[in-house]
mmCIF file of all heavy atoms in Angstrom:
data_model
loop_
_atom_site.group_PDB
_atom_site.id
_atom_site.type_symbol
_atom_site.label_atom_id
_atom_site.label_comp_id
_atom_site.label_asym_id
_atom_site.label_seq_id
_atom_site.Cartn_x
_atom_site.Cartn_y
_atom_site.Cartn_z
ATOM 1 N N PRO A 1 -0.705 1.450 5.100
ATOM 2 C CA PRO A 1 -0.876 0.001 5.114
ATOM 3 C C PRO A 1 0.148 -0.720 5.987
ATOM 4 O O PRO A 1 -0.141 -1.775 6.536
ATOM 5 C CB PRO A 1 -0.728 -0.394 3.646
ATOM 6 C CG PRO A 1 -1.218 0.806 2.910
ATOM 7 C CD PRO A 1 -0.699 1.969 3.730
ATOM 8 N N ASN A 2 1.335 -0.150 6.132
ATOM 9 C CA ASN A 2 2.349 -0.748 6.991
ATOM 10 C C ASN A 2 1.928 -0.678 8.450
ATOM 11 O O ASN A 2 2.159 -1.603 9.218
ATOM 12 C CB ASN A 2 3.693 -0.044 6.784
ATOM 13 C CG ASN A 2 4.779 -0.604 7.672
ATOM 14 O OD1 ASN A 2 4.853 -0.273 8.850
ATOM 15 N ND2 ASN A 2 5.611 -1.452 7.103
ATOM 16 N N ILE A 3 1.298 0.408 8.828
ATOM 17 C CA ILE A 3 0.888 0.625 10.218
ATOM 18 C C ILE A 3 -0.472 -0.011 10.509
ATOM 19 O O ILE A 3 -0.686 -0.600 11.557
ATOM 20 C CB ILE A 3 0.846 2.132 10.519
ATOM 21 C CG1 ILE A 3 2.243 2.736 10.356
ATOM 22 C CG2 ILE A 3 0.321 2.402 11.930
ATOM 23 C CD1 ILE A 3 2.260 4.233 10.355
ATOM 24 N N PHE A 4 -1.391 0.126 9.571
ATOM 25 C CA PHE A 4 -2.766 -0.359 9.754
ATOM 26 C C PHE A 4 -3.048 -1.525 8.813
ATOM 27 O O PHE A 4 -3.976 -1.487 8.014
ATOM 28 C CB PHE A 4 -3.756 0.784 9.503
ATOM 29 C CG PHE A 4 -3.502 2.001 10.340
ATOM 30 C CD1 PHE A 4 -2.992 3.159 9.779
ATOM 31 C CD2 PHE A 4 -3.768 1.986 11.708
ATOM 32 C CE1 PHE A 4 -2.753 4.283 10.548
ATOM 33 C CE2 PHE A 4 -3.537 3.102 12.489
ATOM 34 C CZ PHE A 4 -3.026 4.259 11.905
ATOM 35 N N HIS A 5 -2.247 -2.570 8.928
ATOM 36 C CA HIS A 5 -2.336 -3.692 8.002
ATOM 37 C C HIS A 5 -3.727 -4.335 8.004
ATOM 38 O O HIS A 5 -4.256 -4.685 6.946
ATOM 39 C CB HIS A 5 -1.261 -4.737 8.327
ATOM 40 C CG HIS A 5 -1.084 -5.741 7.232
ATOM 41 N ND1 HIS A 5 -1.920 -6.818 7.070
ATOM 42 C CD2 HIS A 5 -0.180 -5.815 6.226
ATOM 43 C CE1 HIS A 5 -1.552 -7.520 6.017
ATOM 44 N NE2 HIS A 5 -0.487 -6.933 5.492
ATOM 45 N N ASP A 6 -4.331 -4.493 9.173
ATOM 46 C CA ASP A 6 -5.657 -5.124 9.240
ATOM 47 C C ASP A 6 -6.718 -4.291 8.528
ATOM 48 O O ASP A 6 -7.584 -4.841 7.846
ATOM 49 C CB ASP A 6 -6.071 -5.356 10.695
ATOM 50 C CG ASP A 6 -5.233 -6.440 11.373
ATOM 51 O OD1 ASP A 6 -4.586 -7.226 10.663
ATOM 52 O OD2 ASP A 6 -5.220 -6.479 12.618
ATOM 53 N N ARG A 7 -6.651 -2.996 8.679
ATOM 54 C CA ARG A 7 -7.619 -2.118 7.999
ATOM 55 C C ARG A 7 -7.413 -2.155 6.493
ATOM 56 O O ARG A 7 -8.367 -2.135 5.721
ATOM 57 C CB ARG A 7 -7.512 -0.690 8.507
ATOM 58 C CG ARG A 7 -8.051 -0.537 9.899
ATOM 59 C CD ARG A 7 -8.066 0.888 10.322
ATOM 60 N NE ARG A 7 -8.526 1.000 11.697
ATOM 61 C CZ ARG A 7 -8.783 2.124 12.280
ATOM 62 N NH1 ARG A 7 -8.632 3.261 11.643
ATOM 63 N NH2 ARG A 7 -9.197 2.144 13.530
ATOM 64 N N TYR A 8 -6.153 -2.189 6.090
ATOM 65 C CA TYR A 8 -5.840 -2.278 4.667
ATOM 66 C C TYR A 8 -6.411 -3.576 4.081
ATOM 67 O O TYR A 8 -7.067 -3.572 3.045
ATOM 68 C CB TYR A 8 -4.326 -2.210 4.443
ATOM 69 C CG TYR A 8 -3.930 -2.385 3.009
ATOM 70 C CD1 TYR A 8 -3.996 -1.312 2.121
ATOM 71 C CD2 TYR A 8 -3.501 -3.616 2.516
ATOM 72 C CE1 TYR A 8 -3.651 -1.471 0.793
ATOM 73 C CE2 TYR A 8 -3.151 -3.782 1.201
ATOM 74 C CZ TYR A 8 -3.228 -2.703 0.338
ATOM 75 O OH TYR A 8 -2.893 -2.865 -0.987
ATOM 76 N N ALA A 9 -6.173 -4.676 4.774
ATOM 77 C CA ALA A 9 -6.672 -5.975 4.311
ATOM 78 C C ALA A 9 -8.202 -5.988 4.251
ATOM 79 O O ALA A 9 -8.786 -6.513 3.295
ATOM 80 C CB ALA A 9 -6.168 -7.090 5.226
ATOM 81 N N ALA A 10 -8.841 -5.383 5.254
ATOM 82 C CA ALA A 10 -10.308 -5.317 5.258
ATOM 83 C C ALA A 10 -10.814 -4.486 4.080
ATOM 84 O O ALA A 10 -11.819 -4.831 3.452
ATOM 85 C CB ALA A 10 -10.803 -4.728 6.578
ATOM 86 N N GLY A 11 -10.122 -3.407 3.767
ATOM 87 C CA GLY A 11 -10.508 -2.576 2.625
ATOM 88 C C GLY A 11 -10.389 -3.323 1.310
ATOM 89 O O GLY A 11 -11.262 -3.223 0.443
ATOM 90 N N CYS A 12 -9.310 -4.093 1.159
ATOM 91 C CA CYS A 12 -9.136 -4.890 -0.058
ATOM 92 C C CYS A 12 -10.235 -5.948 -0.181
ATOM 93 O O CYS A 12 -10.784 -6.164 -1.268
ATOM 94 C CB CYS A 12 -7.757 -5.543 -0.070
ATOM 95 S SG CYS A 12 -6.409 -4.381 -0.381
ATOM 96 N N LYS A 13 -10.568 -6.588 0.937
ATOM 97 C CA LYS A 13 -11.657 -7.580 0.919
ATOM 98 C C LYS A 13 -12.973 -6.932 0.539
ATOM 99 O O LYS A 13 -13.782 -7.516 -0.184
ATOM 100 C CB LYS A 13 -11.775 -8.264 2.280
ATOM 101 C CG LYS A 13 -10.703 -9.283 2.537
ATOM 102 C CD LYS A 13 -10.901 -9.973 3.878
ATOM 103 C CE LYS A 13 -9.759 -10.925 4.157
ATOM 104 N NZ LYS A 13 -9.879 -11.577 5.459
ATOM 105 N N GLN A 14 -13.197 -5.712 1.012
ATOM 106 C CA GLN A 14 -14.441 -5.004 0.694
ATOM 107 C C GLN A 14 -14.491 -4.655 -0.798
ATOM 108 O O GLN A 14 -15.548 -4.744 -1.416
ATOM 109 C CB GLN A 14 -14.567 -3.740 1.550
ATOM 110 C CG GLN A 14 -15.871 -3.003 1.350
ATOM 111 C CD GLN A 14 -17.099 -3.810 1.766
ATOM 112 O OE1 GLN A 14 -17.024 -4.671 2.636
ATOM 113 N NE2 GLN A 14 -18.218 -3.541 1.134
ATOM 114 N N LEU A 15 -13.360 -4.254 -1.366
ATOM 115 C CA LEU A 15 -13.320 -3.978 -2.808
ATOM 116 C C LEU A 15 -13.679 -5.233 -3.602
ATOM 117 O O LEU A 15 -14.431 -5.162 -4.579
ATOM 118 C CB LEU A 15 -11.935 -3.491 -3.224
ATOM 119 C CG LEU A 15 -11.583 -2.057 -2.877
ATOM 120 C CD1 LEU A 15 -10.099 -1.790 -3.150
ATOM 121 C CD2 LEU A 15 -12.441 -1.086 -3.673
ATOM 122 N N GLU A 16 -13.148 -6.367 -3.172
ATOM 123 C CA GLU A 16 -13.455 -7.633 -3.843
ATOM 124 C C GLU A 16 -14.930 -7.982 -3.714
ATOM 125 O O GLU A 16 -15.586 -8.346 -4.695
ATOM 126 C CB GLU A 16 -12.615 -8.759 -3.262
ATOM 127 C CG GLU A 16 -11.145 -8.669 -3.586
ATOM 128 C CD GLU A 16 -10.345 -9.790 -2.951
ATOM 129 O OE1 GLU A 16 -10.478 -10.939 -3.431
ATOM 130 O OE2 GLU A 16 -9.601 -9.511 -1.997
ATOM 131 N N ALA A 17 -15.458 -7.883 -2.503
ATOM 132 C CA ALA A 17 -16.848 -8.280 -2.243
ATOM 133 C C ALA A 17 -17.851 -7.334 -2.908
ATOM 134 O O ALA A 17 -18.832 -7.780 -3.507
ATOM 135 C CB ALA A 17 -17.104 -8.334 -0.737
ATOM 136 N N ALA A 18 -17.612 -6.048 -2.796
ATOM 137 C CA ALA A 18 -18.585 -5.072 -3.287
ATOM 138 C C ALA A 18 -18.527 -4.863 -4.797
ATOM 139 O O ALA A 18 -19.561 -4.636 -5.435
ATOM 140 C CB ALA A 18 -18.386 -3.731 -2.575
ATOM 141 N N PHE A 19 -17.319 -4.931 -5.369
ATOM 142 C CA PHE A 19 -17.174 -4.587 -6.780
ATOM 143 C C PHE A 19 -16.646 -5.724 -7.641
ATOM 144 O O PHE A 19 -16.593 -5.595 -8.873
ATOM 145 C CB PHE A 19 -16.252 -3.370 -6.925
ATOM 146 C CG PHE A 19 -16.755 -2.166 -6.191
ATOM 147 C CD1 PHE A 19 -16.149 -1.751 -5.018
ATOM 148 C CD2 PHE A 19 -17.851 -1.456 -6.645
ATOM 149 C CE1 PHE A 19 -16.607 -0.654 -4.323
ATOM 150 C CE2 PHE A 19 -18.322 -0.357 -5.961
ATOM 151 C CZ PHE A 19 -17.707 0.054 -4.797
ATOM 152 N N GLY A 20 -16.200 -6.818 -7.023
ATOM 153 C CA GLY A 20 -15.721 -7.960 -7.783
ATOM 154 C C GLY A 20 -14.370 -7.748 -8.450
ATOM 155 O O GLY A 20 -14.012 -8.482 -9.361
ATOM 156 N N VAL A 21 -13.631 -6.733 -8.020
ATOM 157 C CA VAL A 21 -12.323 -6.471 -8.600
ATOM 158 C C VAL A 21 -11.240 -7.189 -7.814
ATOM 159 O O VAL A 21 -11.472 -7.674 -6.708
ATOM 160 C CB VAL A 21 -12.025 -4.949 -8.654
ATOM 161 C CG1 VAL A 21 -13.019 -4.241 -9.561
ATOM 162 C CG2 VAL A 21 -12.030 -4.335 -7.270
ATOM 163 N N CYS A 22 -10.051 -7.267 -8.390
ATOM 164 C CA CYS A 22 -8.916 -7.925 -7.752
ATOM 165 C C CYS A 22 -7.876 -6.873 -7.363
ATOM 166 O O CYS A 22 -7.079 -6.447 -8.204
ATOM 167 C CB CYS A 22 -8.283 -8.924 -8.706
ATOM 168 S SG CYS A 22 -9.384 -10.263 -9.176
ATOM 169 N N PRO A 23 -7.889 -6.427 -6.112
ATOM 170 C CA PRO A 23 -6.896 -5.442 -5.698
ATOM 171 C C PRO A 23 -5.510 -6.069 -5.584
ATOM 172 O O PRO A 23 -5.367 -7.193 -5.093
ATOM 173 C CB PRO A 23 -7.389 -4.959 -4.336
ATOM 174 C CG PRO A 23 -8.395 -5.943 -3.884
ATOM 175 C CD PRO A 23 -8.836 -6.739 -5.053
ATOM 176 N N ILE A 24 -4.517 -5.346 -6.083
ATOM 177 C CA ILE A 24 -3.134 -5.792 -5.946
ATOM 178 C C ILE A 24 -2.349 -4.678 -5.245
ATOM 179 O O ILE A 24 -2.570 -3.502 -5.498
ATOM 180 C CB ILE A 24 -2.478 -6.145 -7.292
ATOM 181 C CG1 ILE A 24 -2.459 -4.945 -8.236
ATOM 182 C CG2 ILE A 24 -3.154 -7.332 -7.942
ATOM 183 C CD1 ILE A 24 -1.461 -5.067 -9.360
ATOM 184 N N SER A 25 -1.471 -5.069 -4.369
ATOM 185 C CA SER A 25 -0.617 -4.116 -3.679
ATOM 186 C C SER A 25 0.615 -3.882 -4.532
ATOM 187 O O SER A 25 1.238 -4.840 -5.005
ATOM 188 C CB SER A 25 -0.196 -4.666 -2.314
ATOM 189 O OG SER A 25 -1.331 -4.966 -1.539
ATOM 190 N N MET A 26 0.964 -2.648 -4.718
ATOM 191 C CA MET A 26 2.164 -2.341 -5.474
ATOM 192 C C MET A 26 3.394 -2.623 -4.605
ATOM 193 O O MET A 26 3.282 -2.818 -3.399
ATOM 194 C CB MET A 26 2.146 -0.896 -5.972
ATOM 195 C CG MET A 26 0.981 -0.603 -6.931
ATOM 196 S SD MET A 26 0.898 -1.712 -8.362
ATOM 197 C CE MET A 26 2.326 -1.185 -9.294
ATOM 198 N N LYS A 27 4.548 -2.635 -5.210
ATOM 199 C CA LYS A 27 5.786 -3.077 -4.568
ATOM 200 C C LYS A 27 6.071 -2.360 -3.242
ATOM 201 O O LYS A 27 6.541 -2.973 -2.294
ATOM 202 C CB LYS A 27 6.954 -2.880 -5.530
ATOM 203 C CG LYS A 27 8.278 -3.356 -4.999
ATOM 204 C CD LYS A 27 9.370 -3.205 -6.042
ATOM 205 C CE LYS A 27 10.702 -3.690 -5.489
ATOM 206 N NZ LYS A 27 11.770 -3.544 -6.480
ATOM 207 N N HIS A 28 5.800 -1.067 -3.156
ATOM 208 C CA HIS A 28 6.166 -0.293 -1.971
ATOM 209 C C HIS A 28 4.965 0.099 -1.108
ATOM 210 O O HIS A 28 5.072 0.977 -0.263
ATOM 211 C CB HIS A 28 6.947 0.954 -2.395
ATOM 212 C CG HIS A 28 8.180 0.613 -3.174
ATOM 213 N ND1 HIS A 28 8.232 0.731 -4.543
ATOM 214 C CD2 HIS A 28 9.371 0.097 -2.780
ATOM 215 C CE1 HIS A 28 9.420 0.333 -4.958
ATOM 216 N NE2 HIS A 28 10.134 -0.064 -3.912
ATOM 217 N N THR A 29 3.852 -0.563 -1.286
ATOM 218 C CA THR A 29 2.657 -0.243 -0.502
ATOM 219 C C THR A 29 2.906 -0.414 0.989
ATOM 220 O O THR A 29 2.382 0.345 1.794
ATOM 221 C CB THR A 29 1.471 -1.127 -0.948
ATOM 222 O OG1 THR A 29 1.214 -0.876 -2.337
ATOM 223 C CG2 THR A 29 0.223 -0.826 -0.152
ATOM 224 N N PHE A 30 3.725 -1.384 1.361
ATOM 225 C CA PHE A 30 3.924 -1.695 2.781
ATOM 226 C C PHE A 30 5.271 -1.225 3.339
ATOM 227 O O PHE A 30 5.690 -1.697 4.387
ATOM 228 C CB PHE A 30 3.781 -3.201 3.011
ATOM 229 C CG PHE A 30 2.394 -3.695 2.761
ATOM 230 C CD1 PHE A 30 2.083 -4.334 1.574
ATOM 231 C CD2 PHE A 30 1.398 -3.505 3.693
ATOM 232 C CE1 PHE A 30 0.798 -4.786 1.327
ATOM 233 C CE2 PHE A 30 0.109 -3.955 3.465
ATOM 234 C CZ PHE A 30 -0.188 -4.586 2.275
ATOM 235 N N ILE A 31 5.936 -0.288 2.666
ATOM 236 C CA ILE A 31 7.202 0.184 3.222
ATOM 237 C C ILE A 31 6.958 0.915 4.533
ATOM 238 O O ILE A 31 5.859 1.369 4.813
ATOM 239 C CB ILE A 31 7.995 1.072 2.232
ATOM 240 C CG1 ILE A 31 7.231 2.353 1.884
ATOM 241 C CG2 ILE A 31 8.381 0.301 1.006
ATOM 242 C CD1 ILE A 31 8.029 3.316 1.018
ATOM 243 N N THR A 32 8.000 1.007 5.321
ATOM 244 C CA THR A 32 7.873 1.663 6.631
ATOM 245 C C THR A 32 7.708 3.170 6.458
ATOM 246 O O THR A 32 8.136 3.740 5.443
ATOM 247 C CB THR A 32 9.126 1.409 7.483
ATOM 248 O OG1 THR A 32 10.252 2.020 6.842
ATOM 249 C CG2 THR A 32 9.367 -0.075 7.689
ATOM 250 N N PRO A 33 7.078 3.827 7.421
ATOM 251 C CA PRO A 33 6.937 5.284 7.336
ATOM 252 C C PRO A 33 8.287 5.994 7.187
ATOM 253 O O PRO A 33 8.401 6.960 6.434
ATOM 254 C CB PRO A 33 6.254 5.653 8.652
ATOM 255 C CG PRO A 33 5.484 4.432 9.015
ATOM 256 C CD PRO A 33 6.350 3.283 8.574
ATOM 257 N N LYS A 34 9.307 5.511 7.876
ATOM 258 C CA LYS A 34 10.630 6.133 7.799
ATOM 259 C C LYS A 34 11.193 6.042 6.372
ATOM 260 O O LYS A 34 11.680 7.026 5.810
ATOM 261 C CB LYS A 34 11.585 5.466 8.791
ATOM 262 C CG LYS A 34 12.947 6.092 8.850
ATOM 263 C CD LYS A 34 13.794 5.431 9.926
ATOM 264 C CE LYS A 34 15.169 6.072 10.003
ATOM 265 N NZ LYS A 34 15.991 5.470 11.061
ATOM 266 N N LYS A 35 11.107 4.845 5.790
ATOM 267 C CA LYS A 35 11.601 4.662 4.426
ATOM 268 C C LYS A 35 10.751 5.453 3.433
ATOM 269 O O LYS A 35 11.270 6.030 2.479
ATOM 270 C CB LYS A 35 11.610 3.179 4.059
ATOM 271 C CG LYS A 35 12.285 2.882 2.741
ATOM 272 C CD LYS A 35 12.447 1.389 2.526
ATOM 273 C CE LYS A 35 13.164 1.127 1.222
ATOM 274 N NZ LYS A 35 13.350 -0.313 0.992
ATOM 275 N N SER A 36 9.461 5.500 3.675
ATOM 276 C CA SER A 36 8.555 6.251 2.815
ATOM 277 C C SER A 36 8.910 7.732 2.795
ATOM 278 O O SER A 36 8.896 8.378 1.744
ATOM 279 C CB SER A 36 7.115 6.057 3.301
ATOM 280 O OG SER A 36 6.232 6.860 2.573
ATOM 281 N N THR A 37 9.243 8.267 3.959
ATOM 282 C CA THR A 37 9.601 9.678 4.071
ATOM 283 C C THR A 37 10.934 9.967 3.385
ATOM 284 O O THR A 37 11.087 10.973 2.697
ATOM 285 C CB THR A 37 9.668 10.090 5.555
ATOM 286 O OG1 THR A 37 8.387 9.861 6.133
ATOM 287 C CG2 THR A 37 10.039 11.540 5.714
ATOM 288 N N LYS A 38 11.892 9.075 3.568
ATOM 289 C CA LYS A 38 13.232 9.287 3.013
ATOM 290 C C LYS A 38 13.314 9.011 1.510
ATOM 291 O O LYS A 38 14.230 9.488 0.852
ATOM 292 C CB LYS A 38 14.250 8.413 3.743
ATOM 293 C CG LYS A 38 14.546 8.886 5.144
ATOM 294 C CD LYS A 38 15.675 8.096 5.752
ATOM 295 C CE LYS A 38 16.017 8.675 7.116
ATOM 296 N NZ LYS A 38 17.209 8.060 7.683
ATOM 297 N N HIS A 39 12.378 8.221 0.994
ATOM 298 C CA HIS A 39 12.445 7.822 -0.410
ATOM 299 C C HIS A 39 11.099 8.021 -1.132
ATOM 300 O O HIS A 39 10.446 7.055 -1.516
ATOM 301 C CB HIS A 39 12.877 6.361 -0.520
ATOM 302 C CG HIS A 39 14.229 6.104 0.039
ATOM 303 N ND1 HIS A 39 15.386 6.448 -0.623
ATOM 304 C CD2 HIS A 39 14.617 5.574 1.228
ATOM 305 C CE1 HIS A 39 16.424 6.127 0.121
ATOM 306 N NE2 HIS A 39 15.989 5.596 1.250
ATOM 307 N N PRO A 40 10.694 9.266 -1.339
ATOM 308 C CA PRO A 40 9.431 9.505 -2.036
ATOM 309 C C PRO A 40 9.433 8.964 -3.466
ATOM 310 O O PRO A 40 8.372 8.695 -4.027
ATOM 311 C CB PRO A 40 9.287 11.026 -2.015
ATOM 312 C CG PRO A 40 10.659 11.543 -1.811
ATOM 313 C CD PRO A 40 11.377 10.513 -0.996
ATOM 314 N N GLU A 41 10.621 8.767 -4.027
ATOM 315 C CA GLU A 41 10.685 8.237 -5.383
ATOM 316 C C GLU A 41 10.131 6.816 -5.462
ATOM 317 O O GLU A 41 9.653 6.387 -6.510
ATOM 318 C CB GLU A 41 12.120 8.293 -5.925
ATOM 319 C CG GLU A 41 13.091 7.315 -5.301
ATOM 320 C CD GLU A 41 13.710 7.755 -3.968
ATOM 321 O OE1 GLU A 41 13.335 8.814 -3.422
ATOM 322 O OE2 GLU A 41 14.569 7.011 -3.473
ATOM 323 N N LEU A 42 10.162 6.085 -4.343
ATOM 324 C CA LEU A 42 9.595 4.738 -4.333
ATOM 325 C C LEU A 42 8.075 4.789 -4.455
ATOM 326 O O LEU A 42 7.469 3.982 -5.172
ATOM 327 C CB LEU A 42 9.995 3.992 -3.058
ATOM 328 C CG LEU A 42 11.496 3.774 -2.857
ATOM 329 C CD1 LEU A 42 11.758 3.088 -1.527
ATOM 330 C CD2 LEU A 42 12.087 2.983 -4.008
ATOM 331 N N ARG A 43 7.472 5.745 -3.766
ATOM 332 C CA ARG A 43 6.013 5.915 -3.873
ATOM 333 C C ARG A 43 5.636 6.339 -5.286
ATOM 334 O O ARG A 43 4.652 5.855 -5.855
ATOM 335 C CB ARG A 43 5.532 6.926 -2.847
ATOM 336 C CG ARG A 43 5.699 6.426 -1.416
ATOM 337 C CD ARG A 43 5.260 7.449 -0.403
ATOM 338 N NE ARG A 43 6.343 8.411 -0.194
ATOM 339 C CZ ARG A 43 6.171 9.694 0.042
ATOM 340 N NH1 ARG A 43 4.976 10.212 0.107
ATOM 341 N NH2 ARG A 43 7.200 10.494 0.230
ATOM 342 N N ALA A 44 6.433 7.233 -5.866
ATOM 343 C CA ALA A 44 6.181 7.674 -7.242
ATOM 344 C C ALA A 44 6.356 6.518 -8.220
ATOM 345 O O ALA A 44 5.592 6.399 -9.195
ATOM 346 C CB ALA A 44 7.113 8.829 -7.595
ATOM 347 N N GLN A 45 7.329 5.661 -7.963
ATOM 348 C CA GLN A 45 7.559 4.521 -8.842
ATOM 349 C C GLN A 45 6.364 3.573 -8.853
ATOM 350 O O GLN A 45 6.001 3.044 -9.900
ATOM 351 C CB GLN A 45 8.821 3.751 -8.427
ATOM 352 C CG GLN A 45 9.218 2.662 -9.404
ATOM 353 C CD GLN A 45 9.541 3.216 -10.781
ATOM 354 O OE1 GLN A 45 10.327 4.132 -10.913
ATOM 355 N NE2 GLN A 45 8.908 2.675 -11.805
ATOM 356 N N ASP A 46 5.735 3.385 -7.707
ATOM 357 C CA ASP A 46 4.532 2.549 -7.658
ATOM 358 C C ASP A 46 3.441 3.105 -8.568
ATOM 359 O O ASP A 46 2.778 2.354 -9.290
ATOM 360 C CB ASP A 46 3.999 2.437 -6.228
ATOM 361 C CG ASP A 46 4.743 1.407 -5.396
ATOM 362 O OD1 ASP A 46 5.582 0.665 -5.949
ATOM 363 O OD2 ASP A 46 4.465 1.336 -4.189
ATOM 364 N N LEU A 47 3.257 4.407 -8.531
ATOM 365 C CA LEU A 47 2.240 5.030 -9.380
ATOM 366 C C LEU A 47 2.583 4.828 -10.854
ATOM 367 O O LEU A 47 1.723 4.435 -11.654
ATOM 368 C CB LEU A 47 2.107 6.514 -9.053
ATOM 369 C CG LEU A 47 1.123 7.297 -9.919
ATOM 370 C CD1 LEU A 47 -0.297 6.772 -9.758
ATOM 371 C CD2 LEU A 47 1.195 8.781 -9.579
ATOM 372 N N MET A 48 3.825 5.072 -11.212
ATOM 373 C CA MET A 48 4.229 4.914 -12.611
ATOM 374 C C MET A 48 4.116 3.461 -13.059
ATOM 375 O O MET A 48 3.669 3.184 -14.181
ATOM 376 C CB MET A 48 5.657 5.435 -12.811
ATOM 377 C CG MET A 48 5.800 6.927 -12.522
ATOM 378 S SD MET A 48 4.566 7.972 -13.352
ATOM 379 C CE MET A 48 4.949 7.664 -15.052
#
């Protein structure tokens, strides 16, 4: 989502339009690839 922000936004809009749900981005959804690689615990924290 950090790299392909427009595609991510389009996907969220499609979820809203097709299924009527409210997608929310978790805290670290948009972290940089470098930070994502160095801190996998942040990605795990989003899941938890």
Side-chain angles (χ1 to χ4, degrees):
N2 179 281
I3 298 168
F4 305 108
H5 194 279
D6 291 342
R7 288 186 183 188
Y8 176 81
C12 287
K13 284 182 184 178
Q14 184 63 28
L15 284 171
E16 291 178 72
F19 301 106
V21 297
C22 297
I24 60 161
S25 303
M26 298 305 290
K27 182 177 180 180
H28 302 102
T29 300
F30 294 101
I31 63 175
T32 64
K34 184 176 181 179
K35 188 172 182 179
S36 175
T37 300
K38 288 187 175 187
H39 298 284
E41 71 277 5
L42 299 177
R43 293 178 278 145
Q45 187 61 51
D46 279 352
L47 177 62
M48 297 310 297

